[in-house]
Amino acid sequence: MHNNRISFGLAFSSFPRSAWERTALTLRVIRIAGLPLAALLALALTGCPHANHSEKPVTKDDHGHEHHHHGPHNGHLMEINGEEYHAEWTHDESGKVTFYILDSEAKKEVPIAADEITIDVKIGDNPPKTYKLAAINPQDGKSAAFEITDKQFEALFDQLKSSGLTLTLHVNINGKQFDEPIKEHEHEH
């Protein structure tokens, strides 16, 4: 019996005895096991902010017309001059950013007579930097789609809500100049 007590005592001698030791051991186990779980949870919760969404939710507002949360190219929407026009943008990890000029319902493309559109990027008090997006497949001198491939520029679209960052779209539609801050479509009716 005496030997059993010794082996029993030796078997459990490596386990923590005080509440403090048990708490420290528990925290170590959580830290080791929890790190992969936390990484997986963070990955699941921070889904891709890029604009290739599989669904296009549509809601009706109180004045009778539909509001799309994504454009016909499954991109992000912004208003131009209230809702006279819309712009839709898509972007991907390659650095490609494409802007589409759309109608007031954000459903149909509106080809414009322009070789390019420009976007000014202003960070803090620094002077703005201008990016030129070239017309894609112009027909009769008009295009509704404009594109640039620039990874640094593309990365800015993931940070639109950051303070100190301002992106401004400059576009001339049917002879009328618009200079609109780029932000996702939000209705405040």
Side-chain angles (χ1 to χ4, degrees), residues 88-181:
E88 174 188 12
W89 74 89
T90 60
H91 58 116
D92 62 32
E93 293 82 20
S94 74
K96 182 168 68 172
V97 177
T98 307
F99 266 74
Y100 303 91
I101 307 303
L102 304 175
D103 64 6
S104 62
E105 295 293 319
K107 291 181 180 181
K108 296 179 184 172
E109 292 184 0
V110 176
I112 61 173
D115 294 329
E116 65 187 21
I117 61 173
T118 60
I119 295 175
D120 285 342
V121 176
K122 185 163 175 36
I123 301 173
D125 294 330
N126 296 313
K129 179 175 180 177
T130 301
Y131 291 87
K132 296 179 179 183
L133 286 73
I136 301 174
N137 301 323
Q139 295 179 4
D140 299 322
K142 292 185 173 187
S143 180
F146 300 84
E147 187 173 270
I148 186 174
T149 300
D150 183 308
K151 285 189 176 193
Q152 288 181 325
F153 179 64
E154 184 274 331
L156 296 171
F157 287 87
D158 292 334
Q159 302 173 24
L160 280 176
K161 293 182 181 176
S162 297
S163 63
L165 175 65
T166 306
L167 278 72
T168 305
L169 171 67
H170 303 284
V171 59
N172 188 304
I173 303 174
N174 298 324
K176 190 172 179 184
Q177 181 64 36
F178 298 100
D179 305 302
E180 294 285 339

Side-chain angles (χ1 to χ4, degrees), residues 12-146:
F12 289 99
S13 66
S14 62
F15 286 98
R17 295 178 187 186
S18 71
W20 177 253
E21 289 174 323
R22 284 191 304 274
T23 302
L25 178 64
T26 301
L27 290 175
R28 271 187 258 138
V29 169
I30 290 171
R31 195 173 339 150
I32 292 168
L35 189 58
L37 181 61
L40 184 61
L41 181 61
L43 184 61
L45 292 177
T46 61
C48 176
H50 297 293
N52 285 329
H53 307 285
S54 60
E55 296 181 11
K56 297 180 186 179
V58 177
T59 58
K60 288 219 181 223
D61 67 9
D62 60 353
H63 52 271
H65 64 272
E66 294 179 350
H67 287 271
H68 298 263
H69 297 281
H70 295 97
H73 304 93
N74 232 6
H76 303 276
L77 288 174
M78 65 174 274
E79 295 177 2
I80 298 176
N81 198 34
E83 291 190 64
E84 186 174 350
Y85 298 98
H86 287 81
E88 174 188 12
W89 74 89
T90 60
H91 58 116
D92 62 32
E93 293 82 20
S94 74
K96 182 168 68 172
V97 177
T98 307
F99 266 74
Y100 303 91
I101 307 303
L102 304 175
D103 64 6
S104 62
E105 295 293 319
K107 291 181 180 181
K108 296 179 184 172
E109 292 184 0
V110 176
I112 61 173
D115 294 329
E116 65 187 21
I117 61 173
T118 60
I119 295 175
D120 285 342
V121 176
K122 185 163 175 36
I123 301 173
D125 294 330
N126 296 313
K129 179 175 180 177
T130 301
Y131 291 87
K132 296 179 179 183
L133 286 73
I136 301 174
N137 301 323
Q139 295 179 4
D140 299 322
K142 292 185 173 187
S143 180
F146 300 84

